[in-house]
Amino acid sequence: MEDVILVVNCGSSSLKVALFSPRLQHLAGALAERLGQPDAKARAGVDKVHVPLPKNANHEDALAALIRHFEEQRLLTRQPLAIGHRVVHGGEAFRAPALIDAEVLEAIEDCTSLAPLHNPVNLTGIRATQALFPDVPQVAVFDTAFHQTLPSKAYLYGLPRRFYDDWGVRRYGFHGTSHSFMLTESARILNKPESETSIISAHLGNGCSITAIRNGKSVDTSMGLTPLEGLVMGTRSGDIDPGLFDFLRSRGIDGEALSDLLNNDSGLLGLSGSTNDMRTLIRQADQGDRRCADALAVFCFRLARYIGAMMASLDSLDALVFTGGIGENSDRVRKDTLAPLGLLGFSLDSGANEKHGRDSKHHIEHSNSRFPVLVVATNEEAVIASAALAQSC
Ligand code: ADP
């Protein structure tokens, strides 16, 4: 059995693990959900085989059960070569993946105030994996690191300067592994060196963000201090008027309720009142549901505005790139988003746009489009595996 790299991605109530070969082939994956709840469950592999978990299983229980499952399936017959962890917030401390030691753990802990929902659970995953594999090198790969090249004009907010100086309040940006993968893939498709490639990368999944990359460096991005800012998302509001907070306070919505509202009950779900799944939303919009039609229109229009905004950070554009579950699969979202951007010179080939997904060509622009438009499947786990291998050698 060959060596493997283990990738661990801990969400607030979920755990994803994957095994890769040293040549970065995906060998196996597994997912545990509803952790901490009585109906915690886990499944593994393409067949979604049920993996038994103890009642109220936590992240440690789930990790142990999934590793045991891999061992029983003989997918893991010896210690992994390296382990890569997705860590959401690396603050200004991390511009690149880091081999985990006591100092790195402390620095991740220090970033907890910037990502209270994410970093503690990422640390739990790291500690649980360290307990299982104490001798294996472990590497943290940060969602924020790729955006550490943002210039200050893009990362400072119009707030008193001391908020940044004293508390680190600034735009950090997220989805960095996906946006950096888009850079690598676009450079490969366009046959250019990464350092000379400039793209706008739109990652549209449950969370959505868009990044301007100039000559291989992130120079602007839509998510901010937290992953709540910017585009309309599945359940997150994206940009809103901060004056809303006063208004909602006067209606008794404050503190945790406000955070819950903006993170979990807004976006496509809030607008439609029924779903955060883009496939369902489009189907219901086409069946005449007015709220779903509005939700789709708001989603696409916000994205179109941001594509325009990202142009302000570029002096040339090699491609606009769509990725994520929505970006890769929804020809409707791509079409509705680019429809109002004719003035900027974007034009889609409707056949190529609709067909995408059934062939492996990435280009969907019309021959008269000013800029190429690409659809590229993201692979954040492979980026993490590759970083883990590189850092641990
Ligand atoms: P996550 O951010 O959780 O990784 P994904 O990248 O898997 O999420 O994206 C999930 C979104 O992708 C959902 O809104 C889902 O409806 C959407 N999606 C997946 N397939 C399609 C499709 N064929 N058409 C439209 N939307 C799709």
Side-chain angles (χ1 to χ4, degrees):
M1 185 72 210
E2 68 175 331
D3 284 318
V4 298
I5 303 153
L6 173 66
V7 173
V8 179
N9 180 353
C10 273
S12 51
S13 63
S14 69
L15 167 72
K16 278 190 209 160
V17 290
L19 296 178
F20 282 81
S21 74
R23 294 169 151 222
L24 302 181
Q25 274 170 309
H26 184 268
L27 302 173
L31 167 71
E33 290 175 295
R34 302 180 173 277
L35 296 175
Q37 296 178 40
D39 57 346
K41 58 175 189 224
R43 45 205 158 79
V46 272
D47 302 334
K48 304 201 159 93
V49 179
H50 171 75
V51 179
L53 292 182
K55 202 162 181 240
N56 293 313
N58 60 20
H59 286 84
E60 285 95 337
D61 300 328
L63 184 69
L66 295 177
I67 295 296
R68 210 167 36 243
H69 172 81
F70 286 151
E71 286 168 350
E72 283 164 10
Q73 298 295 309
R74 307 207 50 78
L75 292 160
L76 192 63
T77 52
R78 59 175 96 148
Q79 301 224 334
L81 209 52
I83 300 172
H85 293 271
R86 175 184 180 216
V87 179
V88 168
H89 219 306
E92 291 187 325
F94 297 102
R95 303 177 74 88
L99 191 60
I100 297 173
D101 58 14
E103 213 176 302
V104 167
L105 278 179
E106 203 178 311
I108 296 173
E109 193 110 48
D110 287 346
C111 297
T112 291
S113 65
L114 295 168
L117 301 177
H118 297 102
N119 275 28
V121 83
N122 297 156
L123 283 165
T124 301
I126 294 172
R127 293 199 171 105
T129 319
Q130 282 179 324
L132 286 175
F133 301 108
D135 302 323
V136 178
Q138 312 220 8
V139 173
V141 181
F142 300 91
D143 277 20
T144 49
F146 182 62
H147 301 297
Q148 277 298 299
T149 48
L150 252 58
S152 53
K153 68 179 177 189
Y155 72 65
L156 288 174
Y157 288 115
L159 290 168
R161 175 73 188 219
R162 64 178 187 281
F163 282 32
Y164 169 63
D165 292 339
D166 298 347
W167 295 336
V169 173
R170 54 161 282 179
R171 175 181 313 287
Y172 288 95
F174 297 86
H175 289 143
T177 44
S178 181
H179 292 300
S180 76
F181 186 67
M182 288 307 109
L183 167 67
T184 305
E185 282 298 283
S186 304
R188 186 184 62 75
I189 293 162
L190 301 166
N191 202 16
K192 293 188 79 169
E194 284 186 27
S195 61
E196 292 170 23
T197 301
S198 295
I199 61 170
I200 294 175
S201 165
H203 176 107
L204 312 175
N206 273 314
C208 301
S209 72
I210 183 164
T211 294
I213 299 174
R214 188 171 66 208
N215 295 329
K217 292 201 165 80
S218 172
V219 285
D220 193 11
T221 191
S222 58
M223 283 178 167
L225 175 74
T226 74
L228 187 52
E229 191 181 345
L231 302 174
V232 172
M233 311 182 210
T235 61
R236 285 174 249 169
S237 63
D239 295 343
I240 42 157
D241 178 355
L244 177 69
F245 302 148
D246 279 340
F247 177 86
L248 289 179
R249 198 173 305 118
S250 74
R251 295 289 191 279
I253 301 173
D254 213 347
E256 240 178 71
L258 180 60
S259 167
D260 197 39
L261 168 81
L262 298 175
N263 279 291
N264 302 321
D265 289 332
S266 296
L268 297 177
L269 178 65
L271 279 162
S272 67
S274 57
T275 182
N276 62 333
D277 186 306
M278 186 55 89
R279 285 163 291 201
T280 312
L281 191 92
I282 292 174
R283 197 172 53 246
Q284 291 179 354
D286 288 346
Q287 285 165 357
D289 184 318
R290 181 63 205 267
R291 290 179 179 189
C292 288
D294 280 345
L296 176 63
V298 172
F299 181 92
C300 294
F301 182 60
R302 175 78 57 88
L303 179 57
R305 282 173 70 189
Y306 260 98
I307 291 170
M310 290 295 139
M311 293 289 220
S313 291
L314 300 175
D315 41 27
S316 66
L317 179 65
D318 294 310
L320 166 66
V321 189
F322 285 97
T323 194
I326 298 171
E328 290 164 34
N329 295 302
S330 180
D331 55 307
R332 175 70 166 275
V333 166
R334 297 190 297 254
K335 174 167 87 72
D336 289 2
T337 300
L338 292 190
L341 292 180
L343 192 61
L344 290 181
F346 288 104
S347 166
L348 283 187
D349 177 319
S350 52
N353 185 38
E354 282 162 24
K355 273 207 309 282
H356 184 82
R358 286 201 284 275
D359 62 24
S360 58
K361 297 197 178 65
H362 300 273
H363 286 267
I364 57 166
E365 76 278 7
H366 192 273
S367 57
N368 68 8
S369 181
R370 192 167 158 216
F371 305 108
V373 182
L374 306 176
V375 179
V376 175
T378 194
N379 194 343
E380 290 161 286
E381 287 177 343
V383 178
I384 295 173
S386 155
L389 191 61
Q391 288 285 317
S392 61
C393 289

